[in-house]
Amino acid sequence: MAKEFLVSQQTLLITGANRGIGLEYVRQYADDGWRVIACCRAPQQAAELQRLAEGRAQITIQSLDVAEFDQIDALGRTLADQAVQLLINNAGVYPQSIFRHINYTEWMQAFQINTMSTLKLAEVFIPHMVQAGNAKLVAMTSKMGSIDDNTSGGEYLYRSSKTALNMVIKSLSFDLNKYGISTAALHPGWVRTDMGGPNGLIDVETSVRGLRKVIANLSLASSGKFIAYDGKEIAW
């Protein structure tokens, strides 16, 4: 009976759920009745997420550092009987970088977190998404990863890791098609968060509300695209 319940309820698995856009995703999907598996590196320190989950059985908090691939494997085993309709890889880092002052160790870490983790999550959670049927896998990218849009240079670490993420999503759109799983690289806009800063043009509620519309409209026919929160497709 428990297994039947897990399959029938719409379930979101999201990383980087402890603040900003990730936290707002948790809030909005839970308010709409979804079961939400909210992952973050240090749940015991995620005060806002803990408060949001308090008294709400549909929100489950899991410890996950997406840079530690053995933790992704372990979470896959922990959730072995859980169908996942929607997987959002929201976790990310924004290391600052200036020409001739590049921290190459941070660059490798940025690729591990911003790029490689999405492919690893896809590999581990294919069975969970297949079990759900017509599942979707999306990753939070940035317009700063658009080669076409780069008119100012700089920010080598962040830009390159997001450009590579876009390519991962595009390739996954072909490799996951046979499993009935659609993908998208999503740009949230310039959002007022800890990462985006106080000068962002929109708030998290507006961004996530728009992103959820994009996700809802996502299908195999539109899989593999680079789309902004307002539904506009972005040039690679």
Side-chain angles (χ1 to χ4, degrees):
M1 190 62 126
K3 199 169 210 181
E4 202 173 291
F5 170 78
L6 291 174
V7 171
S8 63
Q9 190 174 21
Q10 292 276 91
T11 298
L12 161 67
L13 171 64
I14 181 169
T15 68
N18 57 308
R19 62 180 183 173
I21 292 170
L23 185 67
E24 185 62 22
Y25 266 127
V26 175
R27 186 192 320 278
Q28 290 193 24
Y29 275 105
D31 284 349
D32 274 358
W34 283 60
R35 181 168 185 261
V36 180
I37 303 169
C39 304
C40 60
R41 284 185 299 170
Q44 67 279 9
Q45 297 173 19
E48 287 186 86
L49 180 58
Q50 294 282 2
R51 283 194 294 272
L52 182 60
E54 189 174 352
R56 304 179 75 168
Q58 76 267 38
I59 300 177
T60 303
I61 301 175
Q62 293 281 354
S63 176
L64 177 66
D65 182 345
V66 298
E68 301 294 333
F69 291 176
D70 59 337
Q71 291 188 23
I72 298 177
D73 286 323
L75 183 62
R77 292 191 294 270
T78 298
L79 302 175
D81 65 344
Q82 174 65 67
V84 173
Q85 279 77 21
L86 173 59
L87 194 161
I88 301 176
N89 192 14
N90 173 70
V93 292
Y94 191 154
Q96 302 290 327
S97 55
I98 302 172
F99 181 59
R100 300 185 71 183
H101 298 278
I102 301 297
N103 184 319
Y104 286 88
T105 299
E106 286 189 356
W107 200 356
M108 288 188 287
Q109 291 171 343
F111 265 91
Q112 193 165 10
I113 295 168
N114 291 353
T115 309
M116 296 164 64
S117 65
T118 291
L119 184 56
K120 179 63 177 178
L121 284 161
E123 290 177 332
V124 170
F125 284 95
I126 276 179
H128 307 72
M129 291 186 283
V130 169
Q131 186 180 359
N134 299 313
K136 302 173 183 182
L137 182 153
V138 301
M140 301 308 300
T141 185
S142 170
K143 200 172 184 180
M144 288 183 70
S146 166
I147 295 173
D148 182 78
D149 189 66
N150 186 354
T151 59
S152 60
E155 301 299 348
Y156 295 91
L157 279 60
Y158 186 70
R159 285 186 187 278
S160 61
S161 67
K162 291 300 187 178
T163 303
L165 171 61
N166 292 347
M167 183 59 81
V168 167
I169 286 293
K170 184 64 176 180
S171 288
L172 281 173
S173 71
F174 297 106
D175 289 331
L176 298 185
N177 183 275
K178 62 186 175 185
Y179 299 104
I181 300 169
S182 50
T183 72
L186 301 180
H187 168 58
W190 187 9
V191 188
R192 292 188 290 275
T193 62
D194 290 343
M195 183 180 288
N199 298 319
L201 300 178
I202 57 174
D203 57 27
V204 290
E205 183 180 356
T206 300
S207 175
V208 171
R209 193 185 313 119
L211 290 165
R212 289 185 59 210
K213 288 180 182 177
V214 172
I215 293 169
N217 291 327
L218 181 62
S219 68
L220 291 176
S222 60
S223 187
K225 293 185 177 181
F226 184 6
I227 310 172
Y229 77 99
D230 57 4
K232 295 178 181 176
E233 193 169 346
I234 300 172
W236 298 112

